[in-house]
C-alpha cells in the first residue's frame, strides 16, 4: 500500500542509490572548507554522510549559504550519490541544490570533551551525539526484540495500571500522589500483581510499561523511573520461568547482534562477548552462591554507626549487593541465574520452597561484565492462607489486597513470572558506563530536568 505521509530518502538507504540523485534532509554535524569546496557531514537520524559542495557546480547563492552553515543547522540537499570508501558511512553526495531550514546559533555541545554534569543539563541536545544516537537505536531494538519474542510465543500484551492503591515491591520506595476524595494513590513499582490477574484470564501475558521507585540508591544502575517488561504465565513453575528468562535474554542479544552491528561498532563494544550469549546460561542456588562467597572470603559490606564494616564469612540470610554480585559474576562469561533466596529478603508474593521453608522460589538473573541484576522473578504463592500470612507479617493493608487474594480463592493455579529491566539490559549490551545514558530522559533522585 502506498503511504499517504511523505516518504523521504534517508542516509541508511544510500547503498540503493549509488549513481543516482537523492534528496536528503537533516542537520549539519560538521563543516569544513577548502578553497572551492565545502564539506558537510549531514546527520539525518538514520546515519551520517559526507556532502560535497563544489563552487563550480552550484549557484553563487548556494555556495555562500553552504559557507554560512554552523553546527546543527538544518538543511535540505539534492545531489548524486557516489561510493567513497574513505568517507564516513562509505558514500559521498555531490551537491547540486541546498536549502536552509534554520541556522543554529552557538550550539552548546562542541566536538571537544564535555563533563557529564553539563551533558545531562543539555540532554535534549546530547541525544543527537553519535554515541547517544547509537545507544538509543539499540534501546529501540531491545524493545522490538522483547515484543517480537512474546508476541511470537503466544503471549498477549496486557497493560497494568500506573496509578495504584497499594505497594508491590515494599512500601519504602513508593511515590505517593493525591487522588481526589479517595486520598492517596501510588505510582506503580511493578505491573506484576495485575499481570497475575490477566494471566488467569488469558493464560500467558506480558505487561510492558514504566515502573517507579523512590529509590534512595545513588548508583550507576538505579533510576526512579524505568521501563520493565513482565511476563506472567499460568501453570508455569520456577523451572519454566527460568527457562523462559534465558530464552528471552538470548533472543534479545542475538537480535541486537543481527540488527545493530553499526551501532555496536560506534560504541566500540566487544562483539565476541555478546556472540557468546547463547544457552545454556549458568545457574546457582543462593546456598551455592553463599558457599562460594564464603570460600572466596567476599565480605558483606555494612554500615554500622556510620562506619563501613566488612563482615566475613558472608552470613547466610543476607541479600546480595553489587560487591557480591560482581564478585560472583567474575567467573562467568554468560548470565547466571541465582535461585531460592531466603524468604526474608524477598517480596511477600513469592512461594515458599516446599522442600525448604526458609527459602522462596525466587530467581534473579545477573549479567556478566558487571551488568548486575537484569531480571527478578519467582513462582507466586498460590495458597490463600499462606499469602495472607505474608501480607500480615509485612504489615500490608489487607483490604487493598482482597482482589489479589481472590485470585487464590477462585481457581488458584501454580503460576510464575519475572520482570526484565529494559535500561539494565541496554546498559549491559551497549557497555554504557551509567544507566542515565540508556533512557532518553533519565529520572534520578537529583535530576528531573530536562
Ligand atoms: O527485581 P524487581 O524489583 O522485581 C519486580 O518488580 C517483580 N515484580 C518483577 C516480576 O516478577 N514481575 O525488578 C525487576 C527488574 C530488576 O531485575 C531490574 O532489572 C529492574 O527491574 N529494576 C530497575 N532498573 C532501574 N532502576 C531501578 N531502580 C530498578 N529497580 C529494578
Ligand atoms: Mg530484584
Amino acid at each position: 500500500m502506498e503511504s499517504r505521509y511523505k516518504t523521504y530518502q534517508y542516509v541508511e538507504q544510500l547503498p540503493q542509490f549509488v549513481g543516482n540523485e537523492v534528496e536528503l534532509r537533516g542537520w549539519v554535524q560538521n563543516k569544513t572548507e577548502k578553497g572551492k569546496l565545502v564539506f558537510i557531514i549531514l546527520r539525518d537520524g538514520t546515519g551520517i554522510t559526507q556532502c560535497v559542495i563544489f563552487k563550480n557546480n552550484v549557484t553563487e547563492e548556494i555556495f555562500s549559504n553552504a559557507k554560512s552553515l554552523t553546527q546543527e543547522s538544518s538543511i535540505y540537499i539534492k545531489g548524486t550519490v557516489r561510493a567513497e570508501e574513505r568517507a564516513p558511512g562509505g558514500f559521498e553526495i555531490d551537491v547540486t541544490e541546498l536549502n536552509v531550514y534554520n541556522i543554529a546559533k552557538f550550539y552548546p555541545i562542541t566536538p571537544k570533551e564535555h563533563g557529564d554534569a553539563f551533558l545531562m543539563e543539555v540532554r535534549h541536545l546530547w541525544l543527537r551525539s553519535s554515541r547517544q544516537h547509537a545507544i538509543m537505536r539499540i534501546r529501540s531494538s531491545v524493545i522490538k526484540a522483547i515484543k517480537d519474542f512474546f508476541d511470537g510465543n503466544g503471549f498477549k500484551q496486557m497493560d497494568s495500571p500506573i496509578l495504584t492503591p497499594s505497594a508491590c515491591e515494599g512500601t519504602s520506595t513508593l511515590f505517593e500522589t493525591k487522588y481526589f476524595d479517595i486520598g492517596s494513590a501510588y505510582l506503580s513499582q511493578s505491573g506484576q500483581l495485575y499481570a497475575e490477574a490477566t494471566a488467569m484470564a488469558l493464560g500467558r501475558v506480558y505487561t510492558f510499561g514504566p515502573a517507579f521507585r523512590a529509590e534512595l540508591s545513588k548508583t550507576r544502575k538505579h533510576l526512579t523511573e524505568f521501563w520493565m517488561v513482565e511476563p506472567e504465565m499460568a501453570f508455569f513453575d520456577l523451572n519454566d520461568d527460568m527457562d523462559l528468562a534465558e530464552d528471552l535474554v538470548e533472543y534479545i542479544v542475538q537480535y541486537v547482534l543481527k540488527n545493530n552491528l553499526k551501532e555496536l561498532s560506534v560504541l566500540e563494544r566487544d562483539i565476541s562477548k555478546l556472540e557468546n550469549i547463547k544457552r545454556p546460561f549458568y545457574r546457582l542456588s543462593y546456598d551455592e552462591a553463599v558457599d562460594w562467597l564464603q570460600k572466596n572470603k567476599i565480605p558483606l559490606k555494612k554500615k554500622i554507626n556510620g562506619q563501613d564494616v566488612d563482615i566475613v564469612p558472608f552470613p547466610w540470610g543476607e541479600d546480595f549487593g553489587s560487591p557480591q554480585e560482581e564478585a560472583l559474576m567474575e567467573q562467568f562469561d554468560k548470565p547466571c541465574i541465582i535461585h531460592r533466596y531466603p524468604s526474608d529478603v524477598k517480596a511477600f508474593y513469592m512461594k515458599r520452597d516446599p522442600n525448604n521453608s526458609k527459602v522462596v522460589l525466587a530467581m534473579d538473573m545477573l549479567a556478566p561484565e558487571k551488568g548486575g541484576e537484569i531480571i527478578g522473578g519467582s513462582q507466586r504463592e498460590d495458597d490463600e492462607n499462606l499469602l495472607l500470612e505474608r501480607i500480615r507479617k509485612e504489615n500490608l493493608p489487607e483490604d487493598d489486597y482482597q482482589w489479589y487474594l481472590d485470585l487464590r480463592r477462585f481457581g488458584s493455579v501454580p503460576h510464575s513470572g519475572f520482570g526484565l529491566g529494559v535500561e539494565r539490559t541496554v546498559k549491559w549490551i551497549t557497555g554504557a558506563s551509567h544507566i542515565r545514558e540508556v533512557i532518553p530522559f533519565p529520572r534520578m533522585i537529583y535530576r528531573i530536568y530536562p
Side-chain angles (χ1 to χ4, degrees):
M1 196 171 66
E2 203 184 318
S3 59
R4 292 188 298 132
Y5 57 87
K6 286 183 190 153
T7 48
Y8 290 129
Q9 292 164 330
Y10 289 101
V11 167
E12 68 183 354
Q13 300 164 332
L14 289 180
Q16 299 163 220
F17 290 110
V18 175
N20 296 313
E21 192 165 72
V22 286
E23 296 177 294
L24 296 172
R25 293 156 178 85
W27 297 263
V28 175
Q29 191 175 72
N30 196 20
K31 185 198 73 180
T32 47
E33 295 178 42
K34 214 169 158 192
K36 288 183 169 186
L37 292 164
V38 178
F39 297 96
I40 291 164
I41 302 292
L42 180 82
R43 171 180 83 65
D44 80 342
T46 71
I48 56 167
T49 192
Q50 176 155 286
C51 306
V52 186
I53 298 116
F54 180 39
K55 194 168 188 219
N56 298 2
N57 287 349
V58 293
T59 64
E60 231 162 75
E61 192 193 351
I62 288 181
F63 193 69
S64 87
N65 280 347
K67 286 174 69 151
S68 76
L69 293 174
T70 53
Q71 190 191 350
E72 288 306 310
S73 288
S74 43
I75 55 170
Y76 156 93
I77 61 120
K78 194 192 235 179
T80 310
V81 185
R82 196 154 40 78
E84 172 55 72
E85 258 178 40
R86 289 164 300 173
F91 302 94
E92 217 167 57
I93 315 289
D94 288 322
V95 175
T96 51
E97 272 185 47
L98 181 148
N99 290 328
V100 179
Y101 288 103
N102 171 254
I103 295 285
K105 299 174 200 79
F106 308 113
Y107 189 65
I109 305 175
T110 55
K112 71 161 194 186
E113 289 267 320
H114 293 283
D116 285 353
F118 170 75
L119 291 169
M120 286 310 300
E121 205 58 21
V122 292
R123 179 64 176 169
H124 51 295
L125 303 175
W126 188 23
L127 287 167
R128 303 177 186 193
S129 303
S130 55
R131 268 186 66 86
Q132 300 306 308
H133 175 259
I135 293 172
M136 288 306 133
R137 286 182 57 112
I138 292 175
R139 176 187 172 95
S140 176
S141 281
V142 165
I143 292 170
K144 169 95 167 74
I146 290 169
K147 293 194 169 184
D148 283 358
F149 177 86
F150 287 118
D151 294 343
N153 281 296
F155 284 72
K156 298 293 171 213
Q157 183 173 352
M158 285 293 125
D159 304 315
S160 290
I162 307 270
L163 289 166
T164 59
S166 51
C168 175
E169 296 297 322
T171 47
S172 63
T173 62
L174 282 174
F175 277 112
E176 192 171 350
T177 177
K178 282 199 231 64
Y179 199 78
F180 309 106
D181 292 343
I182 289 175
S184 284
Y186 306 95
L187 298 183
S188 173
Q189 298 165 311
S190 152
Q192 176 199 322
L193 305 189
Y194 295 94
E196 287 183 54
T198 54
M200 297 307 133
L202 289 110
R204 273 180 286 172
V205 299
Y206 66 102
T207 177
F208 199 162
F212 304 86
R213 307 263 171 109
E215 292 267 8
L216 285 173
S217 334
K218 225 168 136 179
T219 77
R220 295 175 168 268
K221 290 182 189 143
H222 286 89
L223 292 163
T224 54
E225 177 182 306
F226 62 96
W227 286 73
M228 178 156 57
V229 62
E230 296 177 273
E232 190 71 31
M233 297 73 63
F235 306 106
F236 266 45
D237 65 15
L238 182 68
N239 270 326
D240 303 324
D241 204 33
M242 294 194 284
D243 288 346
L244 183 76
E246 290 181 351
D247 286 7
L248 171 66
V249 170
E250 179 188 89
Y251 185 85
I252 296 172
V253 173
Q254 296 305 321
Y255 184 95
V256 169
L257 277 170
K258 202 166 143 208
N259 293 282
N260 298 97
L261 279 182
K262 214 166 76 187
E263 288 78 12
L264 292 167
S265 128
V266 168
L267 298 169
E268 294 170 358
R269 184 72 169 96
D270 183 348
I271 307 283
S272 66
K273 293 226 162 71
L274 297 176
E275 282 167 345
N276 185 45
I277 307 303
K278 296 239 173 83
R279 287 161 302 164
F281 296 171
Y282 301 98
R283 289 184 191 180
L284 286 179
S285 67
Y286 172 88
D287 285 4
E288 289 167 333
V290 168
D291 272 352
W292 188 91
L293 292 173
Q294 294 180 341
K295 279 203 191 93
N296 289 277
K297 305 198 168 52
I298 309 293
L300 169 70
K301 294 194 173 289
K302 260 210 158 147
K303 251 197 173 36
I304 300 175
N305 299 330
Q307 296 269 313
D308 290 318
V309 184
D310 281 1
I311 302 169
V312 257
F314 184 94
W316 192 99
E318 292 285 340
D319 204 358
F320 300 150
S322 279
Q324 293 81 32
E325 289 178 355
E326 285 177 11
L328 275 165
M329 288 309 290
E330 285 288 322
Q331 42 182 333
F332 299 125
D333 54 357
K334 296 183 198 189
C336 176
I337 293 181
I338 300 186
H339 53 88
R340 295 179 169 80
Y341 284 81
S343 348
D344 289 344
V345 303
K346 289 291 183 189
F348 75 95
Y349 52 71
M350 294 185 180
K351 188 177 175 63
R352 297 283 169 88
D353 185 345
N355 299 318
N356 175 4
S357 66
K358 285 205 180 91
V359 301
V360 282
L361 298 175
M363 62 106 170
D364 281 359
M365 188 190 287
L366 310 181
E369 298 182 86
K370 299 195 178 4
E373 180 195 327
I374 56 172
I375 283 180
S378 68
Q379 185 166 339
R380 319 307 188 187
E381 183 51 75
D382 48 23
D383 180 278
E384 181 190 351
N385 292 323
L386 292 177
L387 184 60
L388 192 57
E389 201 181 285
R390 287 296 303 267
I391 289 174
R392 288 182 177 151
K393 191 167 164 239
E394 310 249 334
N395 276 322
L396 295 167
E398 235 172 276
D399 283 353
D400 290 344
Y401 293 89
Q402 286 310 313
W403 70 268
Y404 188 62
L405 287 158
D406 268 354
L407 305 177
R408 280 72 185 165
R409 294 176 185 131
F410 304 110
S412 191
V413 299
H415 63 290
S416 303
F418 61 83
L420 171 131
V422 169
E423 290 75 18
R424 295 271 180 94
T425 306
V426 177
K427 179 179 181 294
W428 163 51
I429 292 176
T430 57
S433 62
H434 198 296
I435 198 163
R436 68 187 166 206
E437 286 194 42
V438 305
I439 182 165
F441 295 98
R443 297 292 173 246
M444 292 170 293
I445 311 175
Y446 48 91
R447 175 162 299 279
I448 196 144
Y449 177 92

